[in-house]
Amino acid sequence: MIINMSTLANAEEINHVIDRIKECGYQAHVIQGAERTVIGAVGSNGRRAEIEALRAAPGVEDVIQITHPFKLVSRQLRQRCTVVDVSGVKIGGGHLAVMAGPCSVESAEQLMETARAVKAAGANLLRGGAYKPRTSPYDFQGLGVEALRLLRDASEETGLPIVTEVMSESDVEIVSEYADMLQVGARNMQNFSLLRKIAGSKRPILLKRGPSATINEWLLAAEYLLAGGNPNVVLCERGIKTFETATRNTLDLAAIALAKELTHLPVIADPSHGTGLRSLVPPMSKAAVAAGADGLMIEVHPCPERALSDGPQSLDLPGFAELMKQLGREPLREVKAA
Ligand code: PEP
Ligand code: MN
């Protein structure tokens, strides 16, 4: 970090900043310019927040960060791409993961029909909401544990591992019992007590980007998970809020490419929530893969017009199969019968 002293700073103020830098575990490098003094705080294991607080010290004009505040998720720490294994399905490092399924688990029939179809079309994980974060309390809230049981049955029949959202700390244990991968939803990206709790689960985690979160905040949320002891984290860009109203969210493709530069963790895209419009899901899926995404999360429903949530952005079964074909996925010849 760089501390820019004011042009009016006196020797006592400069020496105070140098002393504080050393106390915080850094080395101080002083550059004496014609007009002002600039001091670099150098080192990797110091107390960063205390250096940032020097903004309030007398004679300091500004404190400028030159390195990222995250460590464990950073590509500077680990050059090689992390590959996350979800019950045998690899995400990252050249393996394109496709997580597909309904927004909400609604019934055994709806889930099983979708699971068989997405498996046959080439998906390798099954998604489905059991606990739903709905904007209105009057909307369908999900079937809870019943949905978890249905997801497990569908997984047993198709062999697809399950990814499903955990909304609250109190559900982490039960969801971990049934699911292969735990999803932290966009609205919970900065629920730090949930992040701490879920970090203790043995299950891999899918961390969605908050609708108003910066890339820095998203990576710091992932840092909570790694710092809490869970290295198996996949990031998911699912669209952010902008001034645009023609789409539900703005799928931030540049964020995918940039996140892949900044972190070794896999990054996937959710073009369903990212656009809110079925017709945009195929082109944005392809665009996300072109931008470097390690996978896709796609909402699929056997009859989107009857879906209890997110029908307008859900692909129907033939639509999903067509997209998989366009992405070069081999459809399965045969799916294990019930
Ligand atoms: C979902 O994937 O079902 C979901 C609710 O997504 P998000 O948290 O991105 O809104
Ligand atoms: Mn949804």
Side-chain angles (χ1 to χ4, degrees):
M1 272 180 293
I2 304 280
I3 293 91
N4 259 346
M5 301 302 296
S6 139
T7 49
L8 303 173
N10 60 35
E12 194 186 332
E13 289 165 345
I14 293 169
N15 286 332
H16 171 69
V17 168
I18 294 170
D19 290 344
R20 282 294 294 135
I21 288 173
K22 290 180 186 160
E23 277 167 24
C24 294
Y26 294 95
Q27 292 168 318
H29 287 248
V30 182
I31 303 154
Q32 191 71 63
E35 284 187 8
R36 70 171 75 232
T37 301
V38 171
I39 311 170
V42 182
S44 53
N45 289 320
R47 300 191 302 275
R48 194 184 173 98
E50 290 179 46
I51 299 292
E52 281 170 24
L54 284 176
R55 268 199 189 95
V60 172
E61 191 167 289
D62 201 4
V63 176
I64 302 162
Q65 296 192 5
I66 51 167
T67 54
H68 302 298
F70 41 84
K71 292 182 185 165
L72 300 175
V73 305
S74 169
R75 213 180 260 281
Q76 282 169 350
L77 186 84
R78 191 188 145 110
Q79 303 287 301
R80 263 190 312 129
C81 294
T82 289
V83 178
V84 173
D85 187 307
V86 184
S87 304
V89 172
K90 296 199 172 9
I91 308 176
H95 306 270
L96 186 77
V98 179
M99 312 175 178
C103 177
S104 302
V105 175
E106 298 168 7
S107 68
E109 297 69 35
Q110 170 245 18
L111 184 64
M112 211 54 97
E113 188 181 353
T114 312
R116 286 188 192 118
V118 298
K119 161 95 185 203
N124 44 12
L125 290 111
L126 178 65
R127 67 144 287 144
Y131 300 90
K132 294 305 302 175
R134 304 307 301 279
T135 303
S136 163
Y138 306 116
D139 287 340
F140 178 61
Q141 303 287 307
L143 297 179
V145 181
E146 188 190 339
L148 295 176
R149 288 198 197 100
L150 296 174
L151 284 163
R152 186 90 330 261
D153 291 348
S155 174
E156 266 153 33
E157 182 179 322
T158 58
L160 295 175
I162 298 300
V163 53
T164 194
E165 179 165 352
V166 185
M167 276 175 56
S168 108
E169 283 168 69
S170 56
D171 295 330
V172 173
E173 265 151 47
I174 184 85
V175 180
S176 301
E177 248 176 63
Y178 288 91
D180 298 283
M181 182 179 220
L182 308 180
Q183 177 171 326
V184 176
R187 294 158 186 83
N188 266 323
M189 189 205 83
Q190 284 190 315
N191 179 341
F192 299 114
S193 46
L194 177 64
L195 294 178
R196 279 203 198 88
K197 172 92 192 204
I198 220 169
S201 162
K202 298 264 177 294
R203 299 292 187 191
I205 300 166
L206 181 68
L207 177 66
K208 288 203 156 189
R209 180 182 179 189
S212 306
T214 63
I215 294 168
N216 198 48
E217 288 164 340
W218 187 23
L219 295 178
L220 281 169
E223 187 81 15
Y224 266 85
L225 300 171
L226 271 73
N230 195 328
N232 299 311
V233 176
V234 176
L235 298 162
C236 179
E237 159 59 37
R238 49 75 74 203
I240 52 172
K241 290 213 185 290
T242 67
F243 53 82
E244 184 56 74
T245 54
T247 48
R248 182 178 177 186
N249 291 293
T250 296
L251 188 67
D252 187 0
L253 292 177
I256 296 171
L258 182 54
K260 294 221 24 125
E261 281 181 19
L262 296 174
T263 177
H264 53 84
L265 297 173
V267 183
I268 71 161
D270 171 352
S272 306
H273 294 90
T275 63
L277 295 170
R278 179 177 317 132
S279 65
L280 299 185
V281 172
M284 296 317 284
S285 296
K286 289 177 249 174
V289 172
D294 295 296
L296 298 166
M297 170 170 263
I298 298 175
E299 287 187 338
V300 182
H301 195 284
C303 183
E305 68 167 274
R306 291 180 185 272
L308 297 184
S309 58
D310 288 350
Q313 68 193 34
S314 299
L315 295 181
D316 60 14
L317 307 182
F320 178 73
E322 175 58 29
L323 171 58
M324 290 295 97
K325 212 153 52 170
Q326 289 174 13
L327 286 170
R329 288 297 258 233
E330 287 289 315
L332 289 186
R333 296 259 134 61
E334 157 192 351
V335 184
K336 205 170 83 184

